[in-house]
Each structure stands twice: as structure tokens, then as C-alpha cells.
Amino acid sequence: MRSASPYLHITANGRGTILGRYLVRVILSASFFMCESAFPQQASVSHLPPAVPANRPIIGVALEGGGALGLAHIGVLEWFEEHQVPVDRVSGTSMGALVGGFFASGKSMKELKSLATSDVFDSMFALQPAYARLSFRRRQDRNDMPQAIPLGLRGGRVSVGNALIADDSLDTLLTDELVPSNNENLDFDLLPIPYRCVATDLTTLQPKIFRSGSLPFAVRSSIAIPGVFRPVRFEGHVLVDGAIVDNLPVDVLRDDLGAQVLIAVHLKDASFATEDAGSLTSIFARAYQAGTSRNEEISKRQAQIVLTPEVATFSSTDYGKGAAMIAAGYQAAEAQKSALLKYALDDADWKLYVESRTSRMRLRPGTIRTVVVEGPSSHVVKIAPIAKQELTDKPFDEKQLDRVIADLRSSGGSAAYYETFSEKQGGSPAPTSHGPDNAVAIHLRPNIEGPPYLLLGADVVSMSGNVTSSVFDMRFIDQDLGGYGSELRSNIRLGYFTHAEVEYYRPISQTGLFIQPRLSLVRDPVYFWEDQKRVSERFLQRAGGGFDVGLAVNARLQIALTYDDNEVRWKLVDGTDDSPTQHLSGNTQQGGIHLSYSDQTAAIASPSGTTVDAFIGALFHTAMSPDTPTASLRFRHSWTISRLNTISLSGQGDTYFRAAVADPFRFTLGGPLRLYASSVDEYRGTDTALGRLVYLRKIATLPTGIGEGIYLTGGYEAANVWSPAAPSILRQDGFGGLLFSTPLGALTLGGAIGDAGHRKVFFTFGHLF
């Protein structure tokens, strides 16, 4: 086993811009033709398998990169299989490396076509890690600030990252689909079809040809499009998309794999019209093509046969059109069948060829006897015992390992990945070509850009006849401060109101127990309303702190004992009303049990899942208020019908059990998702209850990676508010509008009509209020 694995150590150093990365590609393309790789070039390995049956040329196929256009390669390979044209060697770059790697590992045409026509790529290009893969605290961040822009602050430098797309889904796809070939010592010559792929080494400005190691790692390196996917770090080098230096690696087939018949599959670039120059995306994409076109032309001249699927009408992001591109690849091979069929085998020889290829199929890992965890010592000490307990002496299960890796990555502070290897009895490495792997190496790598992290965002609430609220949000997070898993988190909200809070989360055992002390400051304007008219304004100040002692059961469930102690000031600033509490200054304390559970799949417009947030406790030693029990409940359940229709049933309730608690501590209703047709916090009481039914219809999907989509939404709300000295108030309303779910948060635009003459037109931006 290697002492330091290179696999998916994917980091961001924040240097450069997207434009710079694309311009680099043009420069590197020219350098490719003037110098050889800085990595030692190995001669053809003697144990490359011969052609079967013998006395025929060795046929190699080079697959070009091109994003979604590369799905056309599957059609070409399907034609070869149907017409019994053997493929003895495969090389590929970028998407060609992915399709070629899957094919070389032994995947069938049925498996490849199923993958290409599924929706697996829909989740592959998201700007943020999947919600389901986040830890409890990172889910809190996503719920509180879905609009946040994260900045890395490691080493005192500000980093905005070097990739648009989160890579957790891509990494999982590769490791799950290439389980038998995720061996850190694998020789690619021993695959069912000997294989090579190309990445670009930004450290040396040279191509890097992968001949061995983990196949998922090699593919991941080759498809690391600059500015889109994070680069891969490998033995002190930084690797990105191989298309920059060799997008159609025909030379690798010839020089490295010894192929004698060189077949290239070229994905023709789309035309560029003058009007395309008005699009920033089109300019970048065309510059990217310009950087690769020359090396492609040189490669095509080296091939005896060039197949050119008609994909110019598609874009590199058209993953939803896999079937059409597969058909285009098939037709490209059919168009040159006269040149290809002379290499076709008869039934008997084809059977020998398939048997030879199948004999090199790698076995899935068997029972795991050894688990090794490698990374920072503070992390290893905590993680190694748990990982060994979960995995040792159990059959290999990639889903279980996915969960382990997802848990390690879920806090956002480190990259994590795994590789398998074979170990003889006694601990020495076993040959990779004999028997299933029986050991797992888990690798942890601290992210280069952070922690610490700074999240920046904004919230806006604008309603007709109401005060517009604009707030700027900042959240500072420093992880592993004082020990692995510990975290300092502080929030500042400035604008319409001022909120500041700092908390320190400290695990006290590996069972999930934690303590969390905190301090907070609140300065809020508070408005009183009568018949939808503002009649008075108060100023609320609250300063104090508290602590939690709890159990983090898993990423979905947390239970805690809580205690808070605050000093409160409440004074009338303007206007008059009938509130018995015009001014107040004193103490308030509260304690109880807080339970939070959520298995929803998204922070905004979750298509399924249940969320429950419940508190039961007591208010005591509180100014101008009796000691009283108190309870709060929030719940939401969502389900999807026919993919495009989502229904959400939710509600909330807060109670002091009719105790005469002073105004500053009472509960409020009114505003977005709290009675849309009413003013913000229009109703105040000691007891409130609200029920809500929401319907969402997805009417458009935003471009790949941009966000969930655009929804037509409508709903009904009903609520009741009680207080000891006033009759209960029942309010109902219906609302409708548009919801835009984007990486910058939720944007809603609509209107609401309620009883008692309540009407509102509203606009919100930020989190889903």
C-alpha cells in the first residue's frame, strides 16, 4: 500500500480566475507540441495481452473529450460489439476517458447505455454538495443561509475557490461504478482492455498519462475541467482536464499501448455565429475549443480511421439527450462500415476474443480484513477506531463505504476518499491480478482554502403596505478548533435589525454527546398594528447567553438540553397602543429539551421528506411575567407526485399555556409563510397555531448546475392567536406566485388575499421565510 495515496485529493487554492484558466488552456496546447511529458515515459509493458486470436493486427480506439457529446462514444462501441470488431486497446481524454474507462473495465453495452440515458448526470453538476450528504451543522447553515457565498480564509488569504461545481456526486459515481478497479496498485495493462487516459499537469505544463493506480482517480483527473471541477492533486502536482494538451490521444494508442490499427472518434465542434459573441458562456466555450482544435487535428492525421459523430447540433451540457448522441455515434461507425468490417471476426474468433477479455475481469473486493486510515494525526485518532469497527471482517459494501466517506466529508473541512488493495497474510501487499482485494485505505486531506470559512448572504422581504426588511448576513466558521469535530461558529446580521451570536460546539465523546455554550445580542425594531396600520414602534434589546448539552444522533437528528439567560430592554419609541407593557427592563430565563429532525432532500422546495423541530420547557425568573411552562413545534412533510408536482403540509404552534407573559416575550404571526396576507408580526399572543398547505408545480429547470428550477406555487393558510386579555383572532388567506430555487437562495414573487380585508403583494429573496 502506498504511504500517501494520490486519489481524489481535490482542493481549491483560490488563485486565478475562470477566464485565466481558459486562457491557460490555449497556452498549454501550444506547449504540448514543443516538449515531452515531465513524467517518465514508460516503454510498452511486456505483459500487454496479445491479440486474440493471433495473427491479426492490434486494434486501438482513441476517444475524444467533449462533455455530454462524449456519450456518442457509446454508440461507436456498440456498433463495434454488434459487428464483432475487436477493440484491443483504449485511450481517452475527459469524457472519452470516462466512457473508455468504463468500457475497458468490462462494463457491457447495456450497462453503458443505461447509465447514459438515466438521470445520473442531473445531480452531477450542482454548485453545492448534495443536501443529503451534509452534516447536521452544515444542514443548519444551508437552511439558514441557502443564499450564502462561501469564502475560504485559511492562512489569512481570501479564497473564492477554483471550481463552480461540487464534486461529491461525481466522486461517488466513479467509485461505485468502478468498484473492482479502485485498487491503488492496479496495472491498467491487466484490465479486460488495456487502457490509458490523459490529464494536464499544471505544475509542469505537460501531459500526464495514467498507466496504473486507481481507475476512478485516473478518470477523475482527466475530466477535471478548469474552473468547473476542482483540480486533482497528485504527488505534488496539480492535474486538470487532459483535453488541454491531448484531447484525442491517438499517439498514446500507438506509442504507449502498441496499437497497430489506430481508430479515432472525433467530436466535431459546433459552429460559432457572430451573435454568440454576445454570450460570456459562449465566448469561454469557444476559447476552450480553440485551445484543443490544433492538437485534435494533429491526432486525426495519425489515425487510419476517423469516425465523426454528427453532434454539432448538441451542446457539451446536453446530458439529457444521451439516447440521441448514442445514436449519432452508432451512425458514424455505420457510415464507415466498409473500412471497419475488414477487421471484423467470425463467430468462432469473436468467441475467443470475448473469452480472453472476460478472463481479465477483476473481482469485486471480498471480506475486508484490514482498514487503514491516513491523514492528520488528530483526525486519524478519532476516526480510525470507528472506521475499523464498521468495516473490518465484513463483506465489502460500497454503499457502506460511501456513507463512511460522506460522513467524513459532511462537515466541509476535509476531503475524504478510499481505495482498496490486496494484502497477504502478515501484512505484505499481494499481486493485484490474483484474488479479490481484502483491504481498504481511507485518506483524509484538509481542504486548502479553509477552514476557517466566511459565508456571506442577504435577505430581503418587501410587502405592500409594510416595512421593507433588508439584512446582510455573515457567518464565520472555524472547524477542528481545539480538537477534531469541534467548531466555532459566529453570526452577524446587519440592516433592518442587528443580531450577533457566537457559539462553540465541542464533542465530548465518540457517541455523539456534545456541549455548546453561546453568547448573543439582539437589537430589533418592533411594530404594532391595528387594521393593517402601524400604530406604534418599540425597540427591543436582548443580551445574554446559554448552553446546550446534547446528543448528535446522526446528520438528521439532534436532541439537547438547553438553558438561556438574557437581560432584556423594551421601550416605546413612537406612537401609542393598548399594550400593558410600554416599557420593560429585566431578566428572562428559559430551559428545556430541544429536538430537531429532518430527512428532507433540499433546503428549498424539498421534493420529499419530513422536518420536525420541537421544544418543551419552562420560562422562569422573567420580568413582569409569571413562571410558566412553554412549548413550540414546527413540522413539515413533503411528497412529490409525477415528478413535477410537490405538495407540502406544514404547521407550527407556540404556547405559554395562556399565562400572562409580557409583550416582549410573546409569539408573533404575520408575513411570508406566516400569514402572507398580513403584515410582518402583525399578531402577538401567548399562544399561536398555524397550518399551511402548499402546492408547487415545476414549470422550468434551470441550466445544469445552476439550481433546482422555477416553480408555480399556491397555498392556503389558517392561524389562530390567543392572549389572556384579548379575544382570539382567526385569520385565513390564500397565496400564489412564482418560486425560483437558485444557488443564491429562494426568490419569491406573488400575492395573497385574506379575510378581514387583508391583501398583500410580496417579494422575498434569501432563505425561504
Side-chain angles (χ1 to χ4, degrees):
M1 187 191 75
R2 293 188 301 242
S3 60
S5 168
Y7 179 55
L8 297 181
H9 177 26
I10 304 162
T11 58
N13 58 20
R15 297 179 181 177
T17 64
I18 296 175
L19 177 60
R21 296 183 185 99
Y22 283 103
L23 294 177
V24 163
R25 182 168 192 166
V26 180
I27 298 170
L28 293 179
S29 297
S31 71
F32 169 65
F33 303 106
M34 296 184 290
C35 43
E36 297 181 354
S37 172
F39 290 88
Q41 296 293 324
Q42 301 170 355
S44 295
V45 181
S46 59
H47 57 250
L48 273 166
V52 175
N55 301 319
R56 68 170 180 84
I58 295 174
I59 300 172
V61 178
L63 305 177
E64 184 175 288
L69 305 181
L71 297 176
H73 296 317
I74 298 173
V76 171
L77 297 173
E78 182 183 24
W79 190 96
F80 280 33
E81 293 285 291
E82 287 186 5
H83 293 81
Q84 300 183 174
V85 175
V87 176
D88 304 303
R89 311 285 190 261
V90 173
S91 66
T93 297
S94 199
M95 193 62 179
L98 187 148
V99 173
F102 282 13
F103 182 65
S105 72
K107 283 195 174 296
S108 68
M109 283 299 105
K110 182 179 179 181
E111 290 173 313
L112 286 175
K113 291 176 69 176
S114 176
L115 186 69
T117 56
S118 70
D119 59 358
V120 67
F121 292 105
D122 292 345
S123 62
M124 203 75 61
F125 299 92
L127 298 186
Q128 298 176 328
Y131 187 88
R133 294 176 178 271
L134 299 177
S135 67
F136 186 90
R137 294 179 67 78
R138 298 293 76 80
R139 292 186 188 207
Q140 287 180 323
D141 294 336
R142 184 76 64 84
N143 288 328
D144 294 344
M145 299 180 65
Q147 79 282 29
I149 298 173
L151 302 177
L153 302 178
R154 188 183 291 276
R157 296 178 298 177
V158 177
S159 168
V160 296
N162 60 2
L164 295 175
I165 303 300
D167 41 46
D168 56 321
S169 295
L170 173 60
D171 297 348
T172 302
L173 171 74
L174 293 176
T175 53
D176 284 358
E177 294 293 335
L178 296 170
V179 165
S181 303
N182 192 18
N183 182 294
E184 60 182 16
N185 302 307
L186 176 63
D187 184 342
F188 292 174
D189 292 340
L190 303 180
L191 289 169
I193 301 175
Y195 170 80
R196 299 288 186 271
C197 68
V198 181
T200 298
D201 181 6
L202 292 183
T203 307
T204 64
L205 303 184
Q206 304 299 319
K208 161 61 181 169
I209 301 172
F210 280 95
R211 304 174 177 90
S212 62
S214 160
L215 185 57
F217 166 69
V219 172
R220 177 63 181 81
S221 301
S222 185
I223 64 178
I225 304 170
V228 178
F229 290 116
R230 291 184 177 184
V232 176
R233 299 180 66 84
F234 174 62
E235 297 180 351
H237 296 258
V238 178
L239 308 179
V240 295
D241 188 358
I244 297 172
V245 291
D246 195 357
N247 199 33
L248 185 57
V250 176
D251 57 327
V252 175
L253 279 181
R254 181 192 61 214
D255 301 337
D256 214 71
L257 286 167
Q260 296 164 317
V261 177
L262 306 177
I263 301 173
V265 184
H266 169 56
L267 306 172
K268 189 175 181 180
D269 296 335
S271 60
F272 185 78
T274 303
E275 53 268 23
D276 293 332
S279 166
L280 185 64
T281 303
S282 296
I283 290 292
F284 282 158
R286 195 61 174 177
Y288 204 80
Q289 293 170 356
T292 64
S293 60
R294 188 181 175 195
N295 70 55
E296 292 166 5
E297 288 301 317
I298 292 176
S299 294
K300 285 194 294 181
R301 290 198 291 269
Q302 299 176 44
Q304 286 103 323
I305 301 173
V306 178
L307 308 179
T308 308
E310 293 294 333
V311 293
T313 57
F314 301 104
S315 78
S316 60
T317 60
D318 279 339
Y319 288 96
K321 300 177 180 178
M325 279 182 275
I326 291 172
Y330 189 95
Q331 289 302 317
E334 178 69 16
Q336 297 206 44
K337 65 180 180 181
S338 59
L340 295 171
L341 286 177
K342 62 184 179 181
Y343 301 110
L345 303 178
D346 59 31
D347 291 345
D349 286 347
W350 179 255
K351 181 179 179 181
L352 291 174
Y353 162 76
V354 172
E355 288 175 349
S356 173
R357 191 171 71 182
T358 304
S359 69
R360 294 188 293 276
M361 288 283 290
R362 289 184 53 79
L363 299 173
R364 286 176 53 86
T367 299
I368 301 303
R369 303 301 182 192
T370 301
V371 176
V372 177
V373 180
E374 180 266 326
S377 57
S378 60
H379 293 38
V380 172
V381 169
K382 295 286 188 180
I383 294 167
I386 299 174
K388 291 178 180 180
Q389 181 180 355
E390 291 187 17
L391 303 173
T392 304
D393 295 327
K394 297 177 182 177
F396 177 87
D397 181 353
E398 63 266 36
K399 298 303 180 185
Q400 172 68 3
L401 264 162
D402 287 346
R403 288 190 289 270
V404 171
I405 296 302
D407 286 346
L408 295 177
R409 299 180 68 165
S410 65
S411 67
S414 301
Y417 55 91
Y418 77 91
E419 296 172 321
T420 61
F421 62 99
S422 296
E423 187 175 72
K424 290 181 179 178
Q425 191 170 3
S428 60
T432 61
S433 58
H434 296 90
D437 291 346
N438 60 3
V440 170
I442 296 174
H443 304 278
L444 297 170
R445 297 287 184 272
N447 292 334
I448 285 183
E449 74 274 21
Y453 292 102
L454 180 64
L455 308 183
L456 301 178
D459 280 332
V460 178
V461 179
S462 180
M463 304 180 68
S464 57
N466 206 83
V467 178
T468 296
S469 167
S470 299
V471 179
F472 179 66
D473 292 326
M474 293 180 288
R475 175 166 291 186
F476 175 82
I477 302 169
D478 197 359
Q479 296 167 277
D480 301 328
L481 185 67
Y484 177 72
S486 297
E487 179 177 303
L488 178 70
R489 183 166 67 180
S490 58
N491 305 305
I492 298 178
R493 309 192 70 196
L494 302 173
Y496 174 74
F497 51 68
T498 300
H499 290 180
E501 183 179 33
V502 59
E503 63 184 31
Y504 181 66
Y505 176 87
R506 174 85 179 185
I508 55 178
S509 78
Q510 294 182 357
T511 61
L513 290 173
F514 68 89
I515 57 173
Q516 182 176 286
R518 60 183 176 275
L519 298 172
S520 65
L521 172 68
V522 171
R523 295 166 59 89
D524 285 349
V526 178
Y527 299 101
F528 277 61
W529 306 82
E530 290 182 8
D531 296 326
Q532 302 185 71
K533 295 181 180 179
R534 189 174 64 185
V535 297
S536 65
E537 177 184 352
R538 284 173 171 72
F539 184 55
L540 172 66
Q541 297 182 80
R542 185 193 301 256
F547 64 85
D548 295 348
V549 178
L551 176 66
V553 180
N554 51 44
R556 299 179 300 277
L557 176 62
Q558 180 173 289
I559 304 171
L561 296 174
T562 73
Y563 170 76
D564 288 278
D565 187 337
N566 289 271
E567 289 296 318
V568 177
R569 291 185 179 179
W570 165 269
K571 69 176 183 178
L572 180 67
V573 175
D574 183 47
T576 60
D577 55 60
D578 58 2
S579 171
T581 314
Q582 300 295 319
H583 302 277
L584 180 149
S585 179
N587 181 259
T588 177
Q589 298 181 49
Q590 181 174 275
I593 301 174
H594 184 198
L595 179 148
S596 296
Y597 171 83
S598 176
D599 64 355
Q600 66 184 33
T601 56
I604 302 172
S606 179
S608 63
T610 300
T611 297
V612 177
D613 191 272
F615 172 83
I616 185 166
L619 187 75
F620 50 92
H621 298 166
T622 296
M624 298 179 65
S625 303
D627 292 352
T628 177
T630 180
S632 296
L633 174 67
R634 307 283 186 277
F635 75 89
R636 180 172 66 249
H637 180 72
S638 302
W639 61 96
T640 297
I641 302 172
S642 301
R643 296 187 61 192
L644 299 178
N645 305 285
T646 299
I647 297 175
S648 174
L649 179 65
S650 59
Q652 66 182 71
D654 301 286
T655 181
Y656 287 121
F657 299 93
R658 303 296 179 93
V661 172
D663 272 339
F665 314 110
R666 292 188 176 185
F667 305 112
T668 64
L669 284 177
L673 287 176
R674 303 173 67 243
L675 291 176
Y676 262 118
S678 301
S679 298
V680 175
D681 296 338
E682 182 173 344
Y683 311 106
R684 308 182 68 85
T686 58
D687 304 83
T688 66
L690 180 145
R692 181 189 311 111
L693 181 66
V694 179
Y695 169 76
L696 297 122
R697 168 76 178 185
K698 194 170 188 178
I699 59 175
T701 299
L702 297 179
T704 300
I706 298 301
E708 288 292 325
I710 303 173
Y711 300 83
L712 183 67
T713 182
Y716 166 78
E717 299 174 296
N720 215 331
V721 181
W722 300 271
S723 56
S728 65
I729 301 172
L730 173 66
R731 287 287 178 264
Q732 303 176 74
D733 67 40
F735 60 88
L738 291 173
L739 165 65
F740 297 80
S741 175
T742 78
L744 296 179
L747 186 152
T748 63
L749 179 65
I753 300 176
D755 52 11
H758 285 71
R759 306 285 189 273
K760 285 288 183 291
V761 175
F762 57 84
F763 168 82
T764 70
F765 171 75
H767 72 278
L768 195 58
F769 294 85

